[in-house]
Amino acid sequence: MTYLSEISHVDGLRQAFSHISKGRLGRPSGLVQGVDGVSINSFAENIDSKLLSLSKRLKSDSFQFSQLKPIILHDPIKNKRRIICVPTIADRIVQRAILDRIAKSQAWLFNEISYGFIPRTDEQKGVVSAVKKAKELRESSPWVFKTDIQKFFDRVKRPLLEEEVRKKIRQRSIHNLLQQAMHCEIKLGPRSESIQIKQAGIKFGEGVRQGMPLSPFFANLMLSDFDKYCIKSHIKAIRYADDLIFFCQSKDQAIAIHQECKERLAKLELSIPDIEESSKSVIAGPDDSVSFLGVELSPDGKGNYSLLVGKKQFLDIKGSFYNLCGISELKSKNLTLGKLQAVLDSKKNAYSACYDYCDNIQELENQMSHWTNGVIKKVLNNVGISAATLSIDAQWLLGLR
């Protein structure tokens, strides 16, 4: 049985839909639409006939991936734009089914330094495993070289990626689908939107678009030989997609690894920054804190290291709370005061679960309670009610005491 025939089976497609819809059905995230205007919530209606139709199109080789819908996000801290490219629900199902099938038999996906986006359980466990392993490695090799591949997803050379598919994915029945996915492009809208997409560094015909389930797989595929080199050379390293961190016995070793990385990645027409001030290529000594995947590896002064929610992550989490203060924002999300409290509580629980392995989780939880109260007070102020003028009982009723 070919990969394509397995991927086309209705049961496999149903399992893929279950994965992509997990935790989204009935929630605002379930309303996000691709270019066809179909959301997860709407796809779930009469799903049997939709999956059967999708299965038939795959089996008859008439399935084609659609263009991607761009969502433009602005990072106020970095003052940069980030483009998330949203596939249609049908495309996401097919890509997820491909990932699930590949993961069953492609042993090279599961190497000892690559932790990012491997469909074994869920992505969050990959992050947790990565930072815990980073702590373990640093306690025996305290010098650190950390970097990331510059604009990796936007700069991947498609011909090189196609060659990797031909070499490493022997099942030719899915080559056409994989090549289709790597060539997916954004559906352009107004001129102002096109300008922002260009300013974000996206060039049509180059790179793979972030937001597709297959994009991280393409990263692992492209860098699998780099991973093998690190393992064969006994280099202590962790890679999460395009984020790289190495653990060394000395500064000289860290410098040598930086140079080796530059040379090996250049063969793939990729690059990492030079080591200089304000660069993402950083060498840190045993007494320096290092940020990796939103968590800080911080020395405790006794030769050991703690895992801490990083300062930047604190700011990002705080921002996610205080973004819910504006009346127009709340109205657009259909959030009344009662619903807002539930959303804030859900945020607190989600972040607590996400960082429960960090040594400063209690500090984060205390801050989140403080931010929740701050959001409620700001919302009240925006409708002309000062929390300070309310009775103690009224403040208790609103969760402010």
Side-chain angles (χ1 to χ4, degrees), residues 369-389:
S369 295
H370 175 71
W371 297 332
T372 296
N373 286 347
V375 169
I376 298 296
K377 288 177 181 178
K378 279 186 174 291
V379 170
L380 292 174
N381 285 337
N382 286 337
V383 296
I385 301 173
S386 172
T389 64

Side-chain angles (χ1 to χ4, degrees), residues 117-283:
F117 309 110
I118 296 173
R120 46 190 169 217
T121 49
D122 60 64
E123 292 172 11
Q124 182 55 40
K125 287 185 180 178
V127 172
V128 174
S129 298
V131 295
K132 285 184 175 180
K133 184 64 176 180
K135 176 184 176 182
E136 176 189 326
L137 291 174
R138 195 174 189 196
E139 288 180 343
S140 60
S141 300
W143 281 88
V144 172
F145 166 55
K146 190 192 77 161
T147 190
D148 70 3
I149 302 171
Q150 294 177 307
K151 293 186 176 294
F152 173 77
F153 287 98
D154 295 337
R155 291 181 178 174
V156 166
K157 301 302 179 185
R158 292 177 185 175
L160 294 177
L161 186 54
E162 288 177 351
E163 180 61 26
E164 290 299 303
V165 167
R166 287 191 290 270
K167 287 193 306 185
K168 295 191 170 77
I169 309 298
R170 300 297 176 86
Q171 276 279 357
R172 296 185 181 277
S173 64
I174 60 169
H175 280 195
N176 177 50
L177 289 173
L178 291 172
Q179 289 181 8
Q180 272 195 56
M182 72 176 72
H183 287 280
C184 277
E185 294 290 6
I186 294 168
K187 183 177 182 180
L188 294 178
R191 185 171 180 272
S192 59
E193 184 179 84
S194 301
I195 291 172
Q196 292 182 75
I197 290 170
K198 184 177 180 181
Q199 289 174 341
I202 290 178
K203 296 180 180 179
F204 282 68
E206 186 172 314
V208 292
R209 304 295 165 246
Q210 293 189 73
M212 299 188 299
L214 279 172
S215 298
F217 161 74
F218 288 141
N220 288 338
L221 181 64
M222 195 73 177
L223 296 170
S224 60
D225 288 341
F226 177 83
D227 294 346
K228 286 179 183 178
Y229 162 76
C230 291
I231 294 167
K232 186 177 179 180
S233 302
H234 304 289
I235 295 173
K236 295 182 178 180
I238 293 173
R239 182 179 64 78
Y240 196 96
D242 54 347
D243 285 309
L244 301 164
I245 189 167
F246 302 86
F247 301 90
C248 315
Q249 293 296 328
S250 67
K251 184 176 182 179
D252 287 345
Q253 185 185 8
I255 293 171
I257 289 175
H258 170 260
Q259 185 60 34
E260 185 66 26
C261 283
K262 286 188 69 173
E263 292 174 3
R264 292 200 166 264
L265 290 172
K267 296 176 182 178
L268 300 174
E269 299 185 47
L270 298 170
S271 62
I272 58 174
D274 291 328
I275 299 169
E276 56 191 15
E277 191 174 350
S278 301
S279 170
K280 287 188 176 181
S281 287
V282 174
I283 290 179

